[in-house]
Amino acid sequence: MNLEKAAELLTNLKPVRVESALCVQARSARAGCRACMDVCPAGSLTMGRGPQLGEGCIACGLCVSACPTGVFRLEEPSDAAVLGAARKVAGDPVIIACHMAAGALAQQAPERLLAVPCIGYVTLELLAGVLATGHRRVLLWRPAGCDGCARKAGAAMADGAARALNELLPGSVTLGAPAPLPAPEGVLAAGSGIDATMAAQDRRAFLGEAVRGAGGLMQLLLADWVKKPAPPPAFLVDKVGVAHRREVFAEALATLPVALEASLHLRAPAMSAQCTLCPVCSRLCPSGALRLDGAGEERILWWQASRCGDCGLCRDVCPLKAVSDGEVVTVGRVRAAAPERLVAGVAATCACGREYWRVAGGPERCLACRMRSQP
């Protein structure tokens, strides 16, 4: 390879990795999600059968945080890099700030500062991961100037992440720009932290490992009373490509001291009697949260809260609009980790002679006849 070719390849490298096949738009033309395009401050995303990253990307990471199905991944800094830096921070609260604000803060508290492209890159999962490295509190640096920034969508996203974690662990996140900075409250317990071997994992993988280590978190709290360091957390095997963000989060919730009735600001799908138990939603579900089982004379559609990211694809693709927003998902439903029965039907024969699945209270016609009768 000559130098000219090498220079061309380096020029074409993009700061954000895009796996368009994971996008709901790539799975169905009926999909309505545009979360990544709505938050992109540079207008560098176009949507076809999945998002395409064009020129002008500023690597702010907002698309990474906004996407419910993990299409985007920021290469630098990765989530694992942020957590690797967090484990080296001594004292609480850890201060997370965008690159533009980090310069001034570095002169005041360099030993507690984590710099990210935009505070909107900091999700609920990433905040939980920082706590799992052995910290009790996080200061998410949000000055008033955030509202006038070109990346102002990131400020609202950070607000939501902080609010969500504070609902689960009250007082764990402070959002703002206090002057003077709060003094450090302590140092990390020896041996706690997230191992650097997580560097190859994406957010779905590291979250389970990070917050599972927050057996870590409670042990650190107890360590203040028993006056001995907490043991290092144990991590599971890598689950990249297998576990969905919500499923891994269920493992995190199993170790955190949160109320079972706390809301996770997600909506469960609700099925009406119009459902024909066709396989459309279950086949297209990007996370495997929906599963259709047909055994004998009964067919059942199952839904698993721990896998669902509330991307809305099931609502978009249902040919009869039988799927709508249901109840708010709670910590208890996610921690249960067992699939829930959404709707069931029994084998029946339509007047046209076709076999179909009849749902209790629904029309006694097959899908083909019902579609023909629609205006």
Side-chain angles (χ1 to χ4, degrees), residues 27-194:
R27 290 175 171 263
S28 172
R30 292 173 174 262
C33 180
R34 292 173 53 89
C36 58
M37 298 186 69
D38 290 342
V39 301
C40 178
S44 59
L45 287 170
T46 56
M47 187 65 71
R49 293 304 299 270
Q52 303 297 322
L53 185 63
E55 299 299 324
C57 175
I58 57 176
C60 61
L62 297 188
C63 59
V64 181
S65 301
C67 178
T69 58
V71 171
F72 305 93
R73 184 187 304 176
L74 193 62
E75 297 294 340
E76 182 59 39
S78 65
D79 292 329
V82 173
L83 292 177
R87 68 190 292 256
K88 299 175 183 177
V89 172
D92 284 330
V94 178
I95 303 169
I96 302 179
C98 74
H99 287 153
M100 290 184 284
L105 289 173
Q107 300 176 9
Q108 304 177 56
E111 73 286 350
R112 289 187 285 148
L113 179 62
L114 301 182
V116 292
C118 173
I119 59 170
Y121 178 67
V122 181
T123 60
L124 168 62
E125 293 90 346
L126 192 54
L127 283 173
V130 170
L131 288 181
T133 62
H135 297 282
R136 299 180 182 87
R137 294 202 304 119
V138 174
L139 170 57
L140 196 54
W141 191 261
R142 189 198 186 287
C146 283
D147 294 325
C149 177
R151 309 173 187 183
K152 60 183 178 181
M157 294 166 69
D159 292 351
R163 183 168 56 252
L165 189 57
N166 276 331
E167 288 179 2
L168 300 179
L169 293 170
S172 58
V173 182
T174 300
L175 188 68
L181 288 175
E185 298 175 354
V187 297
L188 292 177
S192 65
I194 293 182

Side-chain angles (χ1 to χ4, degrees), residues 293-365:
D293 287 339
E297 295 295 308
E298 186 179 40
R299 176 173 282 190
I300 304 172
L301 180 64
W302 301 91
W303 172 75
Q304 191 168 339
S306 59
R307 285 182 174 267
C308 183
D310 196 14
C311 69
L313 185 59
C314 56
R315 297 186 289 272
D316 293 335
V317 301
C318 181
L320 293 172
K321 302 300 179 185
V323 189
S324 60
D325 286 338
E327 299 175 344
V328 173
V329 179
T330 62
V331 169
R333 294 181 78 176
V334 174
R335 283 185 58 174
E340 301 178 24
R341 179 169 165 156
L342 279 185
V343 64
V346 296
T349 303
C350 181
C352 70
R354 292 187 180 91
E355 299 292 327
Y356 74 103
W357 297 98
R358 181 166 57 84
V359 173
E364 296 184 2
R365 291 178 295 169

Side-chain angles (χ1 to χ4, degrees), residues 132-134 190-195 209-217 219 230-235:
T133 62
S192 65
I194 293 182
D195 193 86
E209 321 308 333
V211 190
R212 179 176 292 277
L217 187 59
Q219 290 166 359
F235 301 109

Side-chain angles (χ1 to χ4, degrees), residues 243-256:
H244 185 266
R245 179 190 299 179
R246 301 256 52 94
E247 183 181 25
V248 180
F249 196 46
E251 299 182 6
L253 294 175
T255 63
L256 290 170

